[in-house]
Amino acid sequence: DKEAAQAVVAEVREKMGNITVLHWNAYSNVEGSLLDSSPATLLESLNIRLISYLTAVQAALPDLQAVGGAVLATSGIMALDKPHINDFAKDLGVLAVSVSAQHKATALLARSLQPQGIYVGEVLVNGFVHGSEGAQGQTATVYPDDVAERFWQMYRTRAEYSVMVGAAV
């Protein structure tokens, strides 16, 4: 929730000083078809993926501005609007909509914060991540170290705001 996101940012600032990087990787298995899920379920997913994300960015903004920091977000392939992805995601519509909202927000943040010297980058994960809850019973195709390496490259170069890890789409 909003207060929890603000509290985490305040606690990190108090214990570690200015926040130089905010990494957003919130996940919850809130999912379901858009036709079968309640509005409350969609709202819960949007709160996790979008509202708390933006709240955390806003809370960390003074620090990020002071140090020319970065916002790094992990997202999923369901954010993209392509027929084969939509076919895969149709029964996971709640998750797909919230991931798409986070993806769009990240693009807008990249544009809005770049003039202030703050880098915003996103890794879109295309596949199930080895060792993750979501990969249980699935063929995991993405390794956490590969995701971390892409974030590090993006942070260092600050050239791209959105890249994909995993099989090409």
Side-chain angles (χ1 to χ4, degrees), residues 121-161:
E122 166 192 61
V123 170
L124 287 164
V125 177
N126 183 15
F128 296 98
V129 178
H130 282 267
S132 69
E133 179 183 330
Q136 293 179 7
Q138 305 291 335
T139 302
T141 59
V142 177
Y143 290 89
D145 288 349
D146 294 337
V147 176
E149 180 59 29
R150 280 307 271 152
F151 271 127
W152 176 240
Q153 290 171 7
M154 292 172 72
Y155 178 78
R156 276 191 6 254
T157 63
R158 296 178 177 230
E160 302 172 278
Y161 89 87

Side-chain angles (χ1 to χ4, degrees), residues 109-120:
L109 288 171
R111 293 274 192 195
S112 299
L113 295 176
Q114 189 274 332
Q116 299 176 42
I118 300 169
Y119 171 71
V120 178

Side-chain angles (χ1 to χ4, degrees), residues 37-75:
S37 298
S38 70
T41 300
L42 180 58
L43 184 59
E44 180 182 355
S45 187
L46 286 168
N47 277 330
I48 292 164
R49 287 278 184 173
L50 181 65
I51 305 303
S52 294
Y53 173 44
L54 295 176
T55 300
V57 170
Q58 290 169 356
L61 194 54
D63 291 353
L64 297 171
Q65 289 169 325
V67 299
V71 175
L72 304 174
T74 307
S75 193

